[in-house]
CSV table of all heavy atoms in Angstrom, one decimal:
chain,number,residue,atom,x,y,z
A,29,ILE,N,-32.2,18.6,-23.6
A,29,ILE,CA,-33.5,19.1,-23.5
A,29,ILE,C,-33.5,20.6,-23.2
A,29,ILE,O,-34.2,21.4,-23.9
A,29,ILE,CB,-34.4,18.4,-22.5
A,29,ILE,CG1,-34.7,17.0,-23.0
A,29,ILE,CG2,-35.7,19.1,-22.1
A,29,ILE,CD1,-35.3,16.0,-22.0
A,104,ASP,N,-45.6,30.9,-9.0
A,104,ASP,CA,-45.1,31.6,-7.8
A,104,ASP,C,-43.6,31.8,-7.9
A,104,ASP,O,-43.1,32.8,-7.4
A,104,ASP,CB,-45.4,30.8,-6.6
A,104,ASP,CG,-46.9,30.8,-6.3
A,104,ASP,OD1,-47.7,31.6,-6.8
A,104,ASP,OD2,-47.3,29.9,-5.4
A,143,LEU,N,-6.5,15.4,-13.8
A,143,LEU,CA,-6.0,14.2,-14.4
A,143,LEU,C,-7.1,13.1,-14.6
A,143,LEU,O,-7.2,12.4,-15.6
A,143,LEU,CB,-5.0,13.6,-13.4
A,143,LEU,CG,-3.6,14.3,-13.5
A,143,LEU,CD1,-2.8,14.1,-12.1
A,143,LEU,CD2,-2.8,13.7,-14.6
A,175,TYR,N,0.8,15.1,-2.0
A,175,TYR,CA,1.2,16.5,-1.8
A,175,TYR,C,2.2,16.7,-0.6
A,175,TYR,O,2.3,17.7,-0.1
A,175,TYR,CB,0.0,17.4,-1.5
A,175,TYR,CG,-0.9,17.6,-2.7
A,175,TYR,CD1,-2.1,16.9,-2.8
A,175,TYR,CD2,-0.6,18.6,-3.6
A,175,TYR,CE1,-2.9,17.2,-3.9
A,175,TYR,CE2,-1.5,18.9,-4.7
A,175,TYR,CZ,-2.6,18.2,-4.8
A,175,TYR,OH,-3.4,18.4,-5.9
A,234,GLU,N,-18.3,-6.2,-17.8
A,234,GLU,CA,-19.0,-6.3,-19.1
A,234,GLU,C,-20.4,-5.6,-19.0
A,234,GLU,O,-20.8,-5.0,-20.0
A,234,GLU,CB,-19.3,-7.8,-19.4
A,234,GLU,CG,-18.0,-8.6,-19.8
A,234,GLU,CD,-18.3,-10.0,-20.2
A,234,GLU,OE1,-19.5,-10.3,-20.5
A,234,GLU,OE2,-17.4,-10.9,-20.1
A,236,GLY,N,-22.7,-2.8,-18.1
A,236,GLY,CA,-22.5,-1.4,-17.7
A,236,GLY,C,-23.7,-0.5,-18.1
A,236,GLY,O,-24.7,-1.0,-18.5
A,321,LYS,N,-3.0,33.5,1.0
A,321,LYS,CA,-3.3,34.9,0.5
A,321,LYS,C,-2.0,35.7,0.5
A,321,LYS,O,-1.1,35.6,1.3
A,321,LYS,CB,-4.3,35.6,1.3
A,321,LYS,CG,-4.0,35.9,2.8
A,321,LYS,CD,-5.2,36.4,3.5
A,321,LYS,CE,-4.8,36.6,5.0
A,321,LYS,NZ,-6.0,36.9,5.8
A,366,GLY,N,-12.1,24.6,-16.0
A,366,GLY,CA,-10.7,24.2,-16.4
A,366,GLY,C,-10.7,23.3,-17.7
A,366,GLY,O,-9.8,22.5,-17.8
Side-chain angles (χ1 to χ4, degrees):
I29 288 171
D104 291 346
L143 284 156
Y175 287 101
E234 289 182 24
K321 63 189 177 187

